[in-house]
Amino acid sequence: QEVIRQLIASQKLPKFKQKVTQRFKRILVEDSTFVPMGAINAANFPACGNQTGVTAGFKLDLAFDARTNTVVHQSFGSARESDKKLGEHLLSDVAKGDLVLRDMGYFGCAALNLIAEKEAFWISRLPSSINVFTSNGEPLEKKLRSRKNHFIDEVVTLGNDGATKVRLVGIRADDALAAQRRRSRKTVAQKFGNSPKYQSLVRDGWHLILTNLDQDVTAKELFEIYSIRWSVEIRFKAWKQSLNMKPTLKRYTNYHHLCCIALAALIQQLVVNHIFMMAIVRVKRALSYEKVSEVISQQLGTLTLSSLGAPLTLEERHVWMDKRSRKSLYERLLAIK
């Protein structure tokens, strides 16, 4: 755990425009990831279970200041603890002038109001379960369906009591992505014998974020700042894919051994991130984080005691990012007039 703290403190992160970040004392980024295990380990690491029986897994939760690369909070433990519960640890550390970036799993009006009371700021995606009303008292979904253009930026109220007013910024999703989201939602609902909610299906056609920052921070700047949190998700995804820990975690072993495996894997991911951030400043073409992680993981996996001093090799052509036919959400947002 001490190695992890020191590695995070030395991490190289993407540089963002000074104009965007200088207004905040700290930019606190929090995210978590769930790693499944074999059900045989449920006694040590119980998960929430499913319709077929017990399940096992652990959750990693990390909060750090993106401006100074210092860890604010980290936890490793049971997958049964919700993100909202894990997020309570960070709230006690929030101070005046901070900006908190978290995904919608941490979303709660009470937590957001507490951050605002501390004269701090926050940005979050909008969960589909939260009722939202426009300034004239109409449900948000009515405005989204009748909206002709692809962009929205206005003050809305959360919940039926109308006590929490926030700023909502959104951009319309492309038709293919919206259709994919709705198919996935219907499949999950049918699995449990339900039908998806109307408001969820409407919101699937938009990318929506909420914040207590005012209009002095433009929509482009909001998404540029929030993209810091998206990079954490990419890191978690690459970490789990490149290490392929499933065979190891399916076996039964003791609690401390499992902890060591998980934390050692996190150390490896931090090393990969450090190498990636050094590599992208030396090459002209965009690199794929997932490919870099895969190549380095393969080389580390073949090391022996006699080859520990051998240098890692990283050929550019093997880790180039594939060209995309469509622009990313962030690229589309930067094109907003």
Side-chain angles (χ1 to χ4, degrees):
Q1 290 177 335
E2 178 59 28
V3 171
I4 289 173
R5 279 192 285 270
Q6 292 188 30
L7 279 172
I8 293 175
S10 65
Q11 289 290 287
K12 293 180 178 293
L13 296 175
K15 292 184 179 180
F16 297 90
K17 295 179 180 178
Q18 187 69 11
K19 178 184 176 183
V20 177
T21 59
Q22 67 181 357
R23 68 190 77 200
F24 306 113
K25 181 180 178 181
R26 296 183 297 176
I27 300 180
L28 303 178
V29 183
E30 183 172 24
D31 201 3
S32 69
T33 187
F34 168 73
V35 180
M37 293 177 171
I40 196 170
N41 291 307
N44 286 323
F45 289 93
C48 297
N50 54 31
Q51 294 176 319
T52 61
V54 298
T55 59
F58 65 85
K59 182 176 285 189
L60 286 171
D61 184 77
L62 173 67
F64 63 94
D65 176 13
R67 294 198 65 183
T68 62
N69 301 335
T70 55
V71 178
V72 177
H73 167 75
Q74 67 176 14
S75 66
F76 163 77
S78 171
R80 287 186 174 179
E81 196 164 16
S82 67
D83 287 348
K84 188 179 293 187
K85 183 69 175 178
L86 290 171
E88 293 178 359
H89 299 286
L90 180 65
L91 293 178
S92 60
D93 292 319
V94 174
K96 180 179 179 180
D98 287 344
L99 172 65
V100 180
L101 305 180
R102 301 199 296 188
D103 200 13
M104 50 191 173
Y106 299 89
F107 194 93
C109 289
L112 300 180
N113 290 333
L114 178 60
I115 294 173
E117 289 172 4
K118 293 188 173 186
E119 298 184 62
F121 308 97
W122 56 267
I123 305 176
S124 171
R125 286 199 297 162
L126 172 63
S128 61
S129 59
I130 302 297
N131 294 327
V132 181
F133 300 92
T134 58
S135 56
N136 59 6
E138 293 180 340
L140 172 65
E141 292 67 45
K142 183 175 181 179
K143 185 155 195 173
L144 294 179
R145 284 188 63 88
S146 61
R147 193 88 176 162
K148 300 299 182 183
N149 59 27
H150 68 285
F151 179 66
I152 184 172
D153 185 351
E154 63 178 67
V155 175
V156 297
T157 57
L158 304 180
N160 296 325
D161 58 3
T164 305
K165 290 189 176 183
V166 300
R167 179 185 175 192
L168 178 141
V169 179
I171 182 173
R172 192 186 300 275
D174 60 72
D175 294 340
L177 178 58
Q180 178 185 342
R181 286 176 170 178
R182 288 164 182 154
R183 284 196 301 270
S184 299
R185 190 177 297 278
K186 289 177 181 178
T187 299
V188 173
Q190 290 171 0
K191 186 177 180 180
F192 294 96
N194 301 321
S195 297
K197 293 183 178 180
Y198 167 76
Q199 71 178 30
S200 300
L201 295 174
V202 174
R203 295 179 189 180
D204 283 339
W206 290 78
H207 304 285
L208 301 168
I209 63 173
L210 300 174
T211 183
N212 66 336
L213 289 164
D214 58 27
Q215 299 288 339
D216 288 341
V217 182
T218 67
K220 291 182 184 180
E221 290 174 332
L222 281 177
F223 279 93
E224 181 179 359
I225 296 169
Y226 196 70
S227 68
I228 302 174
R229 206 207 62 79
W230 290 337
S231 67
V232 179
E233 287 194 350
I234 295 173
R235 286 166 55 176
F236 276 144
K237 178 181 177 182
W239 172 59
K240 291 193 284 189
Q241 288 180 344
S242 63
L243 283 180
N244 189 25
M245 293 186 291
K246 286 185 179 180
T248 301
L249 297 178
K250 282 183 178 180
R251 303 169 186 156
Y252 176 76
T253 183
N254 64 68
Y255 173 83
H256 298 291
H257 186 205
L258 288 172
C259 288
C260 288
I261 292 173
L263 295 175
L266 183 56
I267 288 173
Q268 186 267 3
Q269 189 271 337
L270 292 170
V271 171
V272 168
N273 186 72
H274 194 73
I275 294 173
F276 176 79
M277 293 309 303
M278 290 190 294
I280 61 175
V281 299
R282 299 184 182 185
V283 298
K284 296 181 179 180
R285 184 165 172 174
L287 302 182
S288 165
Y289 190 97
E290 289 89 344
K291 291 181 180 180
V292 171
S293 182
E294 182 70 26
V295 170
I296 295 175
S297 296
Q298 289 176 356
Q299 293 189 46
L300 291 177
T302 59
L303 287 177
T304 63
L305 287 176
S306 60
S307 63
L308 283 177
L312 293 174
T313 58
L314 200 66
E315 293 189 30
E316 289 183 32
R317 60 190 179 90
H318 291 159
V319 294
W320 281 338
M321 181 179 291
D322 297 329
K323 292 184 178 180
R324 301 175 53 164
S325 58
R326 62 183 180 87
K327 292 183 178 180
S328 67
L329 170 62
Y330 180 53
E331 291 171 328
R332 293 174 60 202
L333 286 163
L334 294 181
I336 294 174
K337 302 298 184 182

mmCIF file with all atom_site columns, all heavy atoms in Angstrom, residues 141-155:
data_model
loop_
_atom_site.group_PDB
_atom_site.id
_atom_site.type_symbol
_atom_site.label_atom_id
_atom_site.label_alt_id
_atom_site.label_comp_id
_atom_site.label_asym_id
_atom_site.label_entity_id
_atom_site.label_seq_id
_atom_site.pdbx_PDB_ins_code
_atom_site.Cartn_x
_atom_site.Cartn_y
_atom_site.Cartn_z
_atom_site.occupancy
_atom_site.B_iso_or_equiv
_atom_site.pdbx_formal_charge
_atom_site.auth_seq_id
_atom_site.auth_comp_id
_atom_site.auth_asym_id
_atom_site.auth_atom_id
_atom_site.pdbx_PDB_model_num
ATOM 1   N N   . GLU A 1 141 ? -37.539 15.130 -19.492 1.00 0.00 ? 141 GLU A N   1
ATOM 2   C CA  . GLU A 1 141 ? -37.717 14.292 -20.671 1.00 0.00 ? 141 GLU A CA  1
ATOM 3   C C   . GLU A 1 141 ? -38.583 14.977 -21.737 1.00 0.00 ? 141 GLU A C   1
ATOM 4   O O   . GLU A 1 141 ? -38.357 14.798 -22.937 1.00 0.00 ? 141 GLU A O   1
ATOM 5   C CB  . GLU A 1 141 ? -38.352 12.947 -20.288 1.00 0.00 ? 141 GLU A CB  1
ATOM 6   C CG  . GLU A 1 141 ? -37.451 12.049 -19.469 1.00 0.00 ? 141 GLU A CG  1
ATOM 7   C CD  . GLU A 1 141 ? -37.167 12.616 -18.093 1.00 0.00 ? 141 GLU A CD  1
ATOM 8   O OE1 . GLU A 1 141 ? -38.116 13.096 -17.432 1.00 0.00 ? 141 GLU A OE1 1
ATOM 9   O OE2 . GLU A 1 141 ? -35.982 12.599 -17.680 1.00 0.00 ? 141 GLU A OE2 1
ATOM 10  N N   . LYS A 1 142 ? -39.555 15.776 -21.300 1.00 0.00 ? 142 LYS A N   1
ATOM 11  C CA  . LYS A 1 142 ? -40.400 16.474 -22.264 1.00 0.00 ? 142 LYS A CA  1
ATOM 12  C C   . LYS A 1 142 ? -39.587 17.459 -23.094 1.00 0.00 ? 142 LYS A C   1
ATOM 13  O O   . LYS A 1 142 ? -39.785 17.582 -24.306 1.00 0.00 ? 142 LYS A O   1
ATOM 14  C CB  . LYS A 1 142 ? -41.532 17.205 -21.521 1.00 0.00 ? 142 LYS A CB  1
ATOM 15  C CG  . LYS A 1 142 ? -42.511 17.903 -22.453 1.00 0.00 ? 142 LYS A CG  1
ATOM 16  C CD  . LYS A 1 142 ? -43.669 18.511 -21.679 1.00 0.00 ? 142 LYS A CD  1
ATOM 17  C CE  . LYS A 1 142 ? -44.664 19.193 -22.629 1.00 0.00 ? 142 LYS A CE  1
ATOM 18  N NZ  . LYS A 1 142 ? -45.813 19.785 -21.883 1.00 0.00 ? 142 LYS A NZ  1
ATOM 19  N N   . LYS A 1 143 ? -38.664 18.148 -22.449 1.00 0.00 ? 143 LYS A N   1
ATOM 20  C CA  . LYS A 1 143 ? -37.829 19.114 -23.168 1.00 0.00 ? 143 LYS A CA  1
ATOM 21  C C   . LYS A 1 143 ? -36.832 18.407 -24.073 1.00 0.00 ? 143 LYS A C   1
ATOM 22  O O   . LYS A 1 143 ? -36.563 18.853 -25.183 1.00 0.00 ? 143 LYS A O   1
ATOM 23  C CB  . LYS A 1 143 ? -37.090 20.013 -22.175 1.00 0.00 ? 143 LYS A CB  1
ATOM 24  C CG  . LYS A 1 143 ? -36.301 21.125 -22.829 1.00 0.00 ? 143 LYS A CG  1
ATOM 25  C CD  . LYS A 1 143 ? -36.107 22.286 -21.888 1.00 0.00 ? 143 LYS A CD  1
ATOM 26  C CE  . LYS A 1 143 ? -35.660 23.533 -22.640 1.00 0.00 ? 143 LYS A CE  1
ATOM 27  N NZ  . LYS A 1 143 ? -35.615 24.719 -21.777 1.00 0.00 ? 143 LYS A NZ  1
ATOM 28  N N   . LEU A 1 144 ? -36.263 17.298 -23.601 1.00 0.00 ? 144 LEU A N   1
ATOM 29  C CA  . LEU A 1 144 ? -35.295 16.570 -24.410 1.00 0.00 ? 144 LEU A CA  1
ATOM 30  C C   . LEU A 1 144 ? -35.930 16.017 -25.688 1.00 0.00 ? 144 LEU A C   1
ATOM 31  O O   . LEU A 1 144 ? -35.315 16.028 -26.758 1.00 0.00 ? 144 LEU A O   1
ATOM 32  C CB  . LEU A 1 144 ? -34.678 15.422 -23.603 1.00 0.00 ? 144 LEU A CB  1
ATOM 33  C CG  . LEU A 1 144 ? -33.799 15.815 -22.407 1.00 0.00 ? 144 LEU A CG  1
ATOM 34  C CD1 . LEU A 1 144 ? -33.283 14.560 -21.707 1.00 0.00 ? 144 LEU A CD1 1
ATOM 35  C CD2 . LEU A 1 144 ? -32.641 16.705 -22.838 1.00 0.00 ? 144 LEU A CD2 1
ATOM 36  N N   . ARG A 1 145 ? -37.168 15.554 -25.583 1.00 0.00 ? 145 ARG A N   1
ATOM 37  C CA  . ARG A 1 145 ? -37.833 14.977 -26.763 1.00 0.00 ? 145 ARG A CA  1
ATOM 38  C C   . ARG A 1 145 ? -38.193 16.043 -27.790 1.00 0.00 ? 145 ARG A C   1
ATOM 39  O O   . ARG A 1 145 ? -38.192 15.791 -28.996 1.00 0.00 ? 145 ARG A O   1
ATOM 40  C CB  . ARG A 1 145 ? -39.096 14.216 -26.348 1.00 0.00 ? 145 ARG A CB  1
ATOM 41  C CG  . ARG A 1 145 ? -38.816 12.861 -25.719 1.00 0.00 ? 145 ARG A CG  1
ATOM 42  C CD  . ARG A 1 145 ? -40.102 12.095 -25.505 1.00 0.00 ? 145 ARG A CD  1
ATOM 43  N NE  . ARG A 1 145 ? -40.770 11.800 -26.772 1.00 0.00 ? 145 ARG A NE  1
ATOM 44  C CZ  . ARG A 1 145 ? -40.518 10.725 -27.503 1.00 0.00 ? 145 ARG A CZ  1
ATOM 45  N NH1 . ARG A 1 145 ? -39.627 9.833  -27.102 1.00 0.00 ? 145 ARG A NH1 1
ATOM 46  N NH2 . ARG A 1 145 ? -41.163 10.521 -28.627 1.00 0.00 ? 145 ARG A NH2 1
ATOM 47  N N   . SER A 1 146 ? -38.513 17.245 -27.304 1.00 0.00 ? 146 SER A N   1
ATOM 48  C CA  . SER A 1 146 ? -38.938 18.311 -28.218 1.00 0.00 ? 146 SER A CA  1
ATOM 49  C C   . SER A 1 146 ? -37.780 19.190 -28.687 1.00 0.00 ? 146 SER A C   1
ATOM 50  O O   . SER A 1 146 ? -37.972 20.068 -29.519 1.00 0.00 ? 146 SER A O   1
ATOM 51  C CB  . SER A 1 146 ? -39.995 19.186 -27.540 1.00 0.00 ? 146 SER A CB  1
ATOM 52  O OG  . SER A 1 146 ? -39.464 19.804 -26.371 1.00 0.00 ? 146 SER A OG  1
ATOM 53  N N   . ARG A 1 147 ? -36.596 18.939 -28.130 1.00 0.00 ? 147 ARG A N   1
ATOM 54  C CA  . ARG A 1 147 ? -35.436 19.771 -28.461 1.00 0.00 ? 147 ARG A CA  1
ATOM 55  C C   . ARG A 1 147 ? -35.028 19.546 -29.911 1.00 0.00 ? 147 ARG A C   1
ATOM 56  O O   . ARG A 1 147 ? -34.815 18.413 -30.335 1.00 0.00 ? 147 ARG A O   1
ATOM 57  C CB  . ARG A 1 147 ? -34.271 19.399 -27.535 1.00 0.00 ? 147 ARG A CB  1
ATOM 58  C CG  . ARG A 1 147 ? -33.112 20.398 -27.553 1.00 0.00 ? 147 ARG A CG  1
ATOM 59  C CD  . ARG A 1 147 ? -33.333 21.477 -26.561 1.00 0.00 ? 147 ARG A CD  1
ATOM 60  N NE  . ARG A 1 147 ? -32.205 22.394 -26.480 1.00 0.00 ? 147 ARG A NE  1
ATOM 61  C CZ  . ARG A 1 147 ? -32.294 23.585 -25.944 1.00 0.00 ? 147 ARG A CZ  1
ATOM 62  N NH1 . ARG A 1 147 ? -33.453 23.997 -25.452 1.00 0.00 ? 147 ARG A NH1 1
ATOM 63  N NH2 . ARG A 1 147 ? -31.247 24.374 -25.885 1.00 0.00 ? 147 ARG A NH2 1
ATOM 64  N N   . LYS A 1 148 ? -34.884 20.619 -30.676 1.00 0.00 ? 148 LYS A N   1
ATOM 65  C CA  . LYS A 1 148 ? -34.527 20.510 -32.090 1.00 0.00 ? 148 LYS A CA  1
ATOM 66  C C   . LYS A 1 148 ? -33.020 20.428 -32.306 1.00 0.00 ? 148 LYS A C   1
ATOM 67  O O   . LYS A 1 148 ? -32.550 19.701 -33.169 1.00 0.00 ? 148 LYS A O   1
ATOM 68  C CB  . LYS A 1 148 ? -35.096 21.701 -32.870 1.00 0.00 ? 148 LYS A CB  1
ATOM 69  C CG  . LYS A 1 148 ? -36.616 21.821 -32.813 1.00 0.00 ? 148 LYS A CG  1
ATOM 70  C CD  . LYS A 1 148 ? -37.277 20.592 -33.419 1.00 0.00 ? 148 LYS A CD  1
ATOM 71  C CE  . LYS A 1 148 ? -38.798 20.735 -33.405 1.00 0.00 ? 148 LYS A CE  1
ATOM 72  N NZ  . LYS A 1 148 ? -39.478 19.511 -33.924 1.00 0.00 ? 148 LYS A NZ  1
ATOM 73  N N   . ASN A 1 149 ? -32.249 21.219 -31.531 1.00 0.00 ? 149 ASN A N   1
ATOM 74  C CA  . ASN A 1 149 ? -30.798 21.178 -31.725 1.00 0.00 ? 149 ASN A CA  1
ATOM 75  C C   . ASN A 1 149 ? -30.162 20.108 -30.830 1.00 0.00 ? 149 ASN A C   1
ATOM 76  O O   . ASN A 1 149 ? -30.854 19.389 -30.112 1.00 0.00 ? 149 ASN A O   1
ATOM 77  C CB  . ASN A 1 149 ? -30.169 22.553 -31.478 1.00 0.00 ? 149 ASN A CB  1
ATOM 78  C CG  . ASN A 1 149 ? -30.434 23.067 -30.067 1.00 0.00 ? 149 ASN A CG  1
ATOM 79  O OD1 . ASN A 1 149 ? -30.620 22.290 -29.149 1.00 0.00 ? 149 ASN A OD1 1
ATOM 80  N ND2 . ASN A 1 149 ? -30.449 24.373 -29.900 1.00 0.00 ? 149 ASN A ND2 1
ATOM 81  N N   . HIS A 1 150 ? -28.844 20.007 -30.871 1.00 0.00 ? 150 HIS A N   1
ATOM 82  C CA  . HIS A 1 150 ? -28.141 18.919 -30.214 1.00 0.00 ? 150 HIS A CA  1
ATOM 83  C C   . HIS A 1 150 ? -27.555 19.311 -28.861 1.00 0.00 ? 150 HIS A C   1
ATOM 84  O O   . HIS A 1 150 ? -26.843 18.516 -28.247 1.00 0.00 ? 150 HIS A O   1
ATOM 85  C CB  . HIS A 1 150 ? -26.998 18.420 -31.112 1.00 0.00 ? 150 HIS A CB  1
ATOM 86  C CG  . HIS A 1 150 ? -25.894 19.435 -31.277 1.00 0.00 ? 150 HIS A CG  1
ATOM 87  N ND1 . HIS A 1 150 ? -26.034 20.537 -32.085 1.00 0.00 ? 150 HIS A ND1 1
ATOM 88  C CD2 . HIS A 1 150 ? -24.659 19.509 -30.724 1.00 0.00 ? 150 HIS A CD2 1
ATOM 89  C CE1 . HIS A 1 150 ? -24.909 21.256 -32.025 1.00 0.00 ? 150 HIS A CE1 1
ATOM 90  N NE2 . HIS A 1 150 ? -24.064 20.660 -31.213 1.00 0.00 ? 150 HIS A NE2 1
ATOM 91  N N   . PHE A 1 151 ? -27.870 20.504 -28.342 1.00 0.00 ? 151 PHE A N   1
ATOM 92  C CA  . PHE A 1 151 ? -27.187 21.008 -27.160 1.00 0.00 ? 151 PHE A CA  1
ATOM 93  C C   . PHE A 1 151 ? -28.175 21.630 -26.187 1.00 0.00 ? 151 PHE A C   1
ATOM 94  O O   . PHE A 1 151 ? -29.176 22.232 -26.580 1.00 0.00 ? 151 PHE A O   1
ATOM 95  C CB  . PHE A 1 151 ? -26.140 22.041 -27.594 1.00 0.00 ? 151 PHE A CB  1
ATOM 96  C CG  . PHE A 1 151 ? -25.365 22.653 -26.463 1.00 0.00 ? 151 PHE A CG  1
ATOM 97  C CD1 . PHE A 1 151 ? -24.506 21.893 -25.695 1.00 0.00 ? 151 PHE A CD1 1
ATOM 98  C CD2 . PHE A 1 151 ? -25.497 24.006 -26.174 1.00 0.00 ? 151 PHE A CD2 1
ATOM 99  C CE1 . PHE A 1 151 ? -23.777 22.458 -24.652 1.00 0.00 ? 151 PHE A CE1 1
ATOM 100 C CE2 . PHE A 1 151 ? -24.782 24.583 -25.141 1.00 0.00 ? 151 PHE A CE2 1
ATOM 101 C CZ  . PHE A 1 151 ? -23.924 23.803 -24.375 1.00 0.00 ? 151 PHE A CZ  1
ATOM 102 N N   . ILE A 1 152 ? -27.911 21.466 -24.867 1.00 0.00 ? 152 ILE A N   1
ATOM 103 C CA  . ILE A 1 152 ? -28.746 22.073 -23.840 1.00 0.00 ? 152 ILE A CA  1
ATOM 104 C C   . ILE A 1 152 ? -27.860 22.505 -22.676 1.00 0.00 ? 152 ILE A C   1
ATOM 105 O O   . ILE A 1 152 ? -26.909 21.815 -22.312 1.00 0.00 ? 152 ILE A O   1
ATOM 106 C CB  . ILE A 1 152 ? -29.837 21.078 -23.345 1.00 0.00 ? 152 ILE A CB  1
ATOM 107 C CG1 . ILE A 1 152 ? -30.767 21.768 -22.330 1.00 0.00 ? 152 ILE A CG1 1
ATOM 108 C CG2 . ILE A 1 152 ? -29.224 19.819 -22.760 1.00 0.00 ? 152 ILE A CG2 1
ATOM 109 C CD1 . ILE A 1 152 ? -31.969 20.906 -21.956 1.00 0.00 ? 152 ILE A CD1 1
ATOM 110 N N   . ASP A 1 153 ? -28.149 23.684 -22.101 1.00 0.00 ? 153 ASP A N   1
ATOM 111 C CA  . ASP A 1 153 ? -27.387 24.207 -20.967 1.00 0.00 ? 153 ASP A CA  1
ATOM 112 C C   . ASP A 1 153 ? -28.309 25.132 -20.174 1.00 0.00 ? 153 ASP A C   1
ATOM 113 O O   . ASP A 1 153 ? -28.566 26.267 -20.581 1.00 0.00 ? 153 ASP A O   1
ATOM 114 C CB  . ASP A 1 153 ? -26.154 24.974 -21.458 1.00 0.00 ? 153 ASP A CB  1
ATOM 115 C CG  . ASP A 1 153 ? -25.246 25.441 -20.311 1.00 0.00 ? 153 ASP A CG  1
ATOM 116 O OD1 . ASP A 1 153 ? -25.657 25.316 -19.146 1.00 0.00 ? 153 ASP A OD1 1
ATOM 117 O OD2 . ASP A 1 153 ? -24.145 25.944 -20.596 1.00 0.00 ? 153 ASP A OD2 1
ATOM 118 N N   . GLU A 1 154 ? -28.836 24.662 -19.045 1.00 0.00 ? 154 GLU A N   1
ATOM 119 C CA  . GLU A 1 154 ? -29.764 25.469 -18.251 1.00 0.00 ? 154 GLU A CA  1
ATOM 120 C C   . GLU A 1 154 ? -29.844 24.961 -16.817 1.00 0.00 ? 154 GLU A C   1
ATOM 121 O O   . GLU A 1 154 ? -29.338 23.886 -16.496 1.00 0.00 ? 154 GLU A O   1
ATOM 122 C CB  . GLU A 1 154 ? -31.153 25.461 -18.885 1.00 0.00 ? 154 GLU A CB  1
ATOM 123 C CG  . GLU A 1 154 ? -31.817 24.094 -18.953 1.00 0.00 ? 154 GLU A CG  1
ATOM 124 C CD  . GLU A 1 154 ? -33.210 24.183 -19.561 1.00 0.00 ? 154 GLU A CD  1
ATOM 125 O OE1 . GLU A 1 154 ? -33.315 24.506 -20.760 1.00 0.00 ? 154 GLU A OE1 1
ATOM 126 O OE2 . GLU A 1 154 ? -34.181 23.946 -18.811 1.00 0.00 ? 154 GLU A OE2 1
ATOM 127 N N   . VAL A 1 155 ? -30.494 25.750 -15.966 1.00 0.00 ? 155 VAL A N   1
ATOM 128 C CA  . VAL A 1 155 ? -30.669 25.397 -14.555 1.00 0.00 ? 155 VAL A CA  1
ATOM 129 C C   . VAL A 1 155 ? -31.908 24.527 -14.410 1.00 0.00 ? 155 VAL A C   1
ATOM 130 O O   . VAL A 1 155 ? -32.972 24.827 -14.964 1.00 0.00 ? 155 VAL A O   1
ATOM 131 C CB  . VAL A 1 155 ? -30.805 26.666 -13.689 1.00 0.00 ? 155 VAL A CB  1
ATOM 132 C CG1 . VAL A 1 155 ? -31.109 26.289 -12.235 1.00 0.00 ? 155 VAL A CG1 1
ATOM 133 C CG2 . VAL A 1 155 ? -29.522 27.496 -13.763 1.00 0.00 ? 155 VAL A CG2 1
#
